[in-house]
């Protein structure tokens, strides 16, 4: 039975962090876009000043070593901590970070998945990971992110698209779609209450997706061969191999594939509305057909 202790702690800590000024929520307007019955999007347009972590110019200090104690939700011994996202759109947006340095563009390891399961057994929702700058990562220090969801609440606007991708056996109608071919999805199999068993299962799924998309394997490759996004819900895990960081003035991270887009200065809203949000995703995904990469990374 979920108690949502971490979510409640995150909300309580958010109130304290707002008072101290450590938390800086983003002010946005919301527009809902419908691509198809199973592919919906939430477009948020930033109305406040662009945060430093979204600016690309110049060196960026590491905000996780040390992390701001005013943003701390919990410490997970021995090597992880849960902190608040300093610039949230949703209240309670959490980051699972490594206490010591670990590279964002390296392989996630079993300790990362074990820490994730410890949180997820209590507070679940939409987990996501951006493996490097081309995948939309704003920091090089390893961090996974969680947007909590209540039991029974849909994890993201494009959840049905991933369910269809998981369940569909029909190749003909989607064989030429780069978005379909650049993504791989597996069911979340383990329902065990044992943390180690769940972590092992998720780690195995992660490695399977990596091999399927041609990213390699940690036993043979020091780092993944390409940047990627990872999404995890209570029902499925999905991986998307990336070609470039953005298009039409939009930066796209894992949340873009979940159906959440953020328009900042320079975003071409006219293009997005004319072409549709899935066209934006097709611009940044690296298509895989069989074992062949179609096109080349930017």
């Amino acid at each position: 039975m979920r108690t949502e202790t971490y979510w409640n702690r995150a909300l309580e800590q958010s109130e304290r962090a707002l008072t101290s000024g450590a938390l800086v929520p983003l002010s946005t307007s919301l527009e809902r876009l419908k691509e198809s019955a199973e592919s919906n999007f939430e477009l948020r347009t930033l109305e406040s000043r662009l945060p430093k972590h979204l600016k690309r110019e110049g060196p960026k200090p590491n905000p996780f070593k040390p992390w701001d104690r005013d943003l701390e939700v919990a410490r997970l011994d021995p090597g992880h901590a849960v902190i608040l996202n300093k610039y949230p759109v949703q209240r309670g947006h959490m980051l699972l970070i490594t206490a010591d340095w670990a590279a964002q563009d390296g392989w996630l390891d079993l300790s990362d998945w074990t820490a994730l399961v410890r949180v997820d057994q209590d507070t679940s929702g939409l987990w996501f990971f951006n493996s490097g700058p081309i995948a939309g990562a704003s920091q090089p220090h390893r961090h996974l992110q969680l947007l909590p969801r209540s039991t029974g609440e849909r994890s993201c606007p494009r959840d049905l698209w991933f369910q269809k991708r998981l369940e569909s056996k029909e190749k003909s109608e989607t064989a030429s779609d780069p978005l379909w071919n650049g993504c791989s999805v597996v069911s979340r199999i383990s329902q065990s209450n044992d943390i180690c068993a769940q972590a092992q299962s998720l780690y195995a799924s992660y490695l399977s997706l990596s091999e399927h998309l041609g990213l390699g394997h940690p036993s043979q490759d020091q780092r993944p061969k390409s940047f990627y996004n990872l999404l995890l819900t209570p029902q499925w895990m999905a991986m998307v191999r990336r070609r470039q960081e953005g298009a039409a003035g939009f930066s796209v991270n894992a949340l873009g594939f979940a159906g959440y887009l953020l328009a900042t200065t320079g975003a071409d809203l006219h293009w997005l509305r004319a072409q549709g949000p899935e066209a934006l995703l097709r611009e940044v995904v690296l298509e895989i057909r069989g074992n062949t990469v179609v096109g080349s990374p930017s």
Side-chain angles (χ1 to χ4, degrees):
M1 177 106 180
R2 281 169 48 185
T3 60
E4 297 181 346
T5 302
Y6 288 103
W7 195 357
N8 290 328
R9 286 182 187 174
L11 295 177
E12 292 168 1
Q13 190 62 31
S14 293
E15 294 303 317
R16 291 189 286 268
L18 277 170
T19 301
S20 70
L23 195 68
V24 186
L26 299 183
S27 175
T28 62
S29 61
L30 173 63
E31 178 182 352
R32 288 184 167 84
L33 305 174
K34 186 171 183 178
E35 185 86 20
S36 65
E38 65 275 345
S39 190
N40 298 294
F41 289 81
E42 292 186 6
L43 170 64
R44 290 189 177 272
T45 300
L46 187 65
E47 296 182 330
S48 53
R49 182 176 297 180
L50 191 69
K52 292 180 180 179
H53 82 292
L54 293 177
K55 296 179 181 178
R56 303 175 184 177
E57 301 82 8
K60 300 176 183 177
N62 185 349
F64 305 145
K65 193 169 177 63
W67 62 87
D68 187 341
R69 294 301 188 265
D70 285 342
L71 299 177
E72 182 179 299
V73 176
R75 299 193 190 193
L76 304 179
D77 292 332
H80 292 78
V82 179
I83 67 172
L84 296 171
N85 179 359
K86 184 176 180 66
Y87 303 103
V89 171
Q90 174 190 310
R91 290 179 71 241
H93 181 169
M94 287 176 269
L95 307 181
L96 176 63
I97 66 172
T98 55
D100 294 322
W101 167 261
Q104 184 77 352
D105 61 358
W107 293 102
L108 294 176
D109 60 31
L110 185 57
S111 70
D112 297 314
W113 291 107
T114 302
L116 182 150
V117 170
R118 287 184 62 187
V119 177
D120 191 70
Q121 282 192 333
D122 175 272
T123 299
S124 191
L126 177 65
W127 288 92
F128 63 99
F129 178 75
N130 309 312
S131 75
I134 287 179
S138 60
Q139 302 294 340
H141 186 128
R142 185 168 304 166
H143 60 288
L144 295 103
Q145 306 189 52
L146 172 63
L147 295 176
R149 298 286 184 263
S150 300
T151 301
E153 182 181 4
R154 191 168 294 285
S155 61
C156 63
R158 297 186 75 240
D159 176 70
L160 291 178
W161 186 92
F162 286 101
Q163 296 280 6
K164 180 181 178 181
R165 178 69 179 81
L166 178 64
E167 298 166 1
S168 177
K169 304 299 181 184
E170 296 296 327
K171 301 289 186 180
S172 57
E173 63 180 85
T174 53
S176 60
D177 186 350
L179 188 56
W180 191 269
N181 295 324
C183 173
S184 188
V185 189
V186 294
S187 295
R188 189 164 174 181
I189 300 171
S190 177
Q191 299 299 320
S192 170
N193 290 324
D194 181 75
I195 290 176
C196 291
Q198 277 203 52
Q200 290 280 3
S201 176
L202 290 175
Y203 186 40
S205 294
Y206 165 70
L207 296 179
S208 175
L209 291 173
S210 299
E211 290 190 284
H212 184 262
L213 290 181
L215 300 180
H217 191 279
S219 64
Q220 300 176 335
D221 305 287
Q222 185 176 2
R223 295 178 185 274
K225 294 178 180 178
S226 181
F227 292 112
Y228 63 92
N229 294 120
L230 194 69
L231 292 164
L232 176 70
T233 76
Q235 290 77 39
W236 47 263
M237 181 191 294
M239 184 178 285
V240 180
R241 186 166 173 173
R242 293 295 296 273
R243 183 170 70 89
Q244 61 191 42
E245 187 269 344
F250 285 86
S251 294
V252 179
N253 63 15
L255 288 181
F257 295 95
Y260 300 108
L261 299 174
L262 180 65
T264 59
T265 303
D268 191 339
L269 292 172
H270 177 76
W271 183 96
L272 183 72
R273 294 189 179 103
Q275 301 298 322
E278 284 196 350
L280 176 65
L281 301 184
R282 290 185 182 98
E283 289 290 320
V284 302
V285 73
L286 187 62
E287 184 179 4
I288 309 294
R289 293 186 191 172
N291 295 319
T292 304
V293 176
V294 181
S296 58
S298 297

